[in-house]
Amino acid sequence: MKIFNPSTEEVIREIPEDSSESVKQKFLLLKDGQKEWWQTPITERIKCIRNFSYSLEKHNQELAKILTSEMGKPLWQSHNELKGAQYRIKFFLENSEKYLSEEWVNVADSTLS
């Protein structure tokens, strides 16, 4: 499959196309990974997401150029798109532990609910 810059119609790169079997294998890999991720303590998951956020910030210029070449948008729009992603990630970093922690709503006698 050829990836084109829509502004210049230049071929940026070629990547192999997926087959039904390769899509199935990728799905199974992701499905297994989700089970492992779910069992990972929330503090470790937040740490992984924080590292991803740092990588976005560190490679902002390079990623913005890639977005621009693949989407044909102005560079400033690519920077804004990355900034928007970082704001959303920041929200989840600040709130995930609070909202995803186990919470007991009712503790009465020996009944927990």
Side-chain angles (χ1 to χ4, degrees):
M1 174 188 321
K2 294 180 181 180
I3 307 298
F4 292 92
N5 178 326
S7 298
T8 64
E9 297 184 4
E10 172 191 357
V11 176
I12 299 169
R13 67 182 59 92
E14 286 192 49
I15 58 174
E17 291 188 34
D18 277 310
S19 64
S20 296
E21 186 58 33
S22 67
V23 171
K24 181 179 178 182
Q25 291 302 317
K26 289 175 183 180
F27 171 76
L28 293 173
L29 181 65
L30 290 170
K31 189 175 175 184
D32 289 342
Q34 192 279 329
K35 290 175 189 173
E36 185 178 331
W37 181 253
W38 179 76
Q39 293 175 358
T40 303
I42 187 72
T43 54
E44 288 300 310
R45 288 188 264 169
I46 290 171
K47 183 179 175 182
C48 288
I49 295 168
R50 185 171 282 115
N51 287 339
F52 174 73
S53 181
Y54 289 146
S55 290
L56 277 180
E57 188 174 335
K58 181 179 178 182
H59 301 285
N60 184 281
Q61 294 297 325
E62 177 186 355
L63 292 170
K65 287 177 184 177
I66 291 170
L67 277 171
T68 292
S69 69
E70 290 180 351
M71 302 303 293
K73 61 172 81 180
L75 189 59
W76 64 269
Q77 286 182 0
S78 296
H79 281 290
N80 286 345
E81 188 172 331
L82 290 166
K83 189 184 296 184
Q86 288 177 300
Y87 284 134
R88 290 186 291 282
I89 292 168
K90 182 180 179 192
F91 170 83
F92 286 108
L93 287 172
E94 292 173 351
N95 294 288
S96 291
E97 192 165 8
K98 175 173 62 173
Y99 292 123
L100 297 176
S101 296
E102 189 173 286
E103 177 181 358
W104 295 105
V105 178
N106 184 21
V107 178
D109 302 321
S110 61
T111 305
L112 297 175
S113 57

